[in-house]
Amino acid sequence: MKIVIIGGTGLIGSKTAERLRKRGHEVIAAAPNTGVNTITGEGLAQALENAKVVLDLANSPSFEDKAVLEFFETSGRNLLAAEKVAGVRHHIALSVVGTERLQESGYFRAKLAQENLIRASGIPYTIVHSTQFMEFVNGIAQSGTVGDTVHLSPAFIQPIASDDVADAMTDVALGEPQNGIVEIAGPDRVKLSGLVEQYLKKMKDPRKVVADPEARYFGARLEDNSLVSDKSPRLGRITFEQWFAMTAQPK
């Protein structure tokens, strides 16, 4: 089966492509650096020719409100229109647990706009809502840093390793369209501020974490249920401790 992965050279895309190829499928890793651009349309029709499944794993290069909305709307419209012409049978998009609850944030408003385009397209689809990736913990720390302190919400988070995300995306790609949302999450719930504090200590980073309920998460105030799944999610197998031991290195 021919499967096209938009964002196929990124963190999740490259791992998912590797898994699907090992199962014997033809995989096109589509990205601007491989000649496929969903914003301009360059190379899109050729990449989708005879494709049965498309996974949209692309992310906006900018998180600024206007730019991120334009990215997901333009990319989504171009991609879905090209899929209709090509006769794609299953459109899969990776989105975020809590998207509908975090509409204070321009990023999550843009993700909801992307999801609504998919629902209205008429193409059989599955939207995968994932909790935050463990690989982004450092980025979360950076987003809350002022001087030597990191202000973060003590709301719960359920971080998932990218390998577990790629396993899930592979299984969804080889399954039937759900015409709805499936959720994936990491094995453990922890407080966001506590997770980052643990990470910084392991990295021998001297910054101090301040648990601040008013601290914004990419523009949105968090509640305890904002970033976790209560919908019987598929749980990853890799704990934060295991992930850190495998991938992260102290300075």
Side-chain angles (χ1 to χ4, degrees):
M1 180 164 65
K2 181 178 176 181
I3 300 171
V4 175
I5 303 178
I6 306 297
T9 60
L11 174 66
I12 306 300
S14 57
K15 292 185 176 192
T16 305
E18 179 187 8
R19 285 158 170 75
L20 288 167
R21 287 184 181 123
K22 282 182 177 177
R23 297 203 193 184
H25 299 282
E26 178 190 356
V27 180
I28 303 297
N33 61 4
T34 67
V36 182
N37 192 317
T38 57
I39 299 299
T40 65
E42 177 196 358
L44 199 50
Q46 297 92 322
L48 294 178
E49 191 173 346
N50 299 318
K52 303 303 180 200
V53 176
V54 172
L55 288 86
D56 186 1
L57 308 180
N59 207 356
S60 173
S62 168
F63 280 21
E64 187 274 323
D65 286 4
K66 185 170 182 285
V68 71
L69 181 62
E70 285 181 355
F71 176 86
F72 282 117
E73 287 190 332
T74 302
S75 177
R77 287 195 181 103
N78 288 343
L79 179 57
L80 292 163
E83 286 179 29
K84 276 194 172 181
V85 173
V88 169
R89 297 178 187 172
H90 190 185
H91 177 95
I92 301 157
L94 181 58
S95 193
V96 188
V97 164
T99 289
E100 69 287 350
R101 297 190 288 266
L102 295 168
Q103 290 297 292
E104 271 186 288
S105 163
Y107 182 81
F108 290 103
R109 289 195 297 273
K111 290 300 289 183
L112 187 60
Q114 178 195 30
E115 292 182 17
N116 288 337
L117 286 171
I118 294 165
R119 292 186 183 96
S121 70
I123 298 169
Y125 71 92
T126 304
I127 296 170
V128 179
H129 272 189
S130 174
T131 54
Q132 188 56 272
F133 307 155
M134 293 177 189
E135 285 79 0
F136 287 173
V137 172
N138 184 61
I140 293 170
Q142 290 298 113
S143 74
T145 295
V146 179
D148 294 329
T149 62
V150 185
H151 290 257
L152 291 171
S153 169
F156 284 105
I157 189 171
Q158 204 163 344
I160 186 169
S162 60
D163 281 319
D164 284 332
V165 178
D167 286 342
M169 298 310 296
T170 299
D171 289 344
V172 171
L174 300 180
E176 293 299 314
Q178 298 299 300
N179 294 316
I181 292 170
V182 298
E183 295 200 342
I184 60 175
D188 301 309
R189 287 189 181 194
V190 293
K191 289 185 179 294
L192 176 61
S193 53
L195 177 71
V196 172
E197 184 174 39
Q198 180 186 0
Y199 172 79
L200 293 180
K201 282 180 180 176
K202 286 177 176 293
M203 294 297 289
K204 304 187 184 334
D205 189 313
R207 284 178 288 175
K208 179 186 177 185
V209 175
V210 176
D212 179 1
E214 297 302 320
R216 299 301 198 205
Y217 180 80
F218 300 103
R221 187 185 188 280
L222 298 180
E223 305 293 342
D224 267 348
N225 69 338
S226 297
L227 294 174
V228 295
S229 175
D230 291 314
K231 298 179 181 176
S232 301
R234 167 176 168 153
L235 294 178
R237 57 189 170 79
I238 301 169
T239 67
F240 182 76
E241 293 282 350
Q242 290 169 333
W243 169 81
F244 189 90
M246 288 187 295
T247 63
Q249 295 293 329
K251 295 174 184 175

